[in-house]
Amino acid sequence: MFDNTLPVSMSDGSQKRLDDSEMTTSLSVISYNFPNMIDESEGTFTNFTSSNLSGGIQTTSSITSYRSFITSSNYYNINNDLKVSEHAYLFSSGSNDYWSWRKPSDIEVGDYLLGQNKEIRQVSSSEHIVSGTLGLSQINVEDVDTLFVNGYLLHNDLQEEGGGGGTPNATFNFGVKSASIHINDNYP
């Protein structure tokens, strides 16, 4: 889950935000895949590691669903250009020289994040925001469960619903040009 004002890299080379009226489930995003990468449906994708990036390939995935909501706490601002919820997974490498899916709370200044076109981006800052309001987006893509948000590789993990550690003030589901509002998660 990520800041809904950040662009997602589309397969046609364009950048779209989730709140873009042209964002639909008929579009595809740029994804990144490794041989033997564990699918999120197996529930253990966070166990996947890679000692190098040479086996990975850039590919595309189809958007199957997407939504936006508001959170009131618990998000991270990484490098001052990537705001993600505490439930996001980023492909990163620390001092152990291997790459894995890690939550932002496990990423430290000096670690590395994978960017588009195999660009390696060093983490220069990471701030945990515990108060304030942030609009978040969640996109599910298939067959490869990854996408690039503001040039950073994220996993589309949907295991954590609701977002950001706080109860959403409102949830907006934009699937097939329709919307529904949930004032709280107890009343779907």
Side-chain angles (χ1 to χ4, degrees):
M1 292 173 268
F2 54 90
D3 180 352
N4 65 11
T5 65
L6 296 177
V8 175
S9 298
M10 308 306 290
S11 61
D12 66 1
S14 68
Q15 302 279 314
K16 293 193 184 299
R17 297 181 345 192
L18 190 68
D19 61 356
D20 187 329
S21 63
E22 296 178 17
M23 180 73 82
T24 69
T25 55
S26 64
L27 295 175
S28 296
V29 300
I30 296 174
S31 294
Y32 199 80
N33 196 11
F34 287 93
N36 303 318
M37 189 164 77
I38 301 168
D39 190 83
E40 83 176 345
S41 64
E42 296 179 30
T44 58
F45 74 91
T46 56
N47 292 338
F48 175 77
T49 62
S50 179
S51 59
N52 64 57
L53 301 175
S54 63
I57 59 166
Q58 195 162 289
T59 185
T60 62
S61 290
S62 298
I63 298 173
T64 60
S65 65
Y66 53 94
R67 70 183 188 134
S68 289
F69 51 89
I70 306 295
T71 187
S72 59
S73 63
N74 286 324
Y75 63 92
Y76 289 79
N77 184 358
I78 298 172
N79 288 349
N80 293 315
D81 66 353
L82 180 65
K83 293 179 183 174
V84 293
S85 83
E86 65 182 337
H87 302 297
Y89 285 93
L90 296 96
F91 204 59
S92 62
S93 178
S95 60
N96 294 330
D97 291 330
Y98 70 91
W99 292 83
S100 63
W101 294 108
R102 294 167 46 199
K103 289 191 172 202
S105 59
D106 298 326
I107 294 171
E108 300 175 357
V109 170
D111 288 351
Y112 298 93
L113 300 175
L114 183 60
Q116 200 164 333
N117 300 315
K118 295 186 181 181
E119 177 188 4
I120 297 173
R121 298 179 171 191
Q122 188 166 25
V123 176
S124 60
S125 65
S126 181
E127 179 183 10
H128 184 199
I129 311 296
V130 294
S131 63
T133 301
L134 180 67
L136 291 173
S137 295
Q138 186 176 48
I139 296 180
N140 186 25
V141 296
E142 297 295 338
D143 288 325
V144 178
D145 299 318
T146 65
L147 66 156
F148 288 93
V149 176
N150 209 24
Y152 294 91
L153 184 64
L154 273 68
H155 198 281
N156 80 169
D157 178 45
L158 299 176
Q159 296 176 18
E160 302 278 356
E161 294 292 332
T167 302
N169 298 346
T171 301
F172 303 95
N173 294 307
F174 304 100
V176 186
K177 303 274 184 186
S178 65
S180 61
I181 298 175
H182 300 277
I183 300 305
N184 99 31
D185 284 341
N186 295 326
Y187 302 99

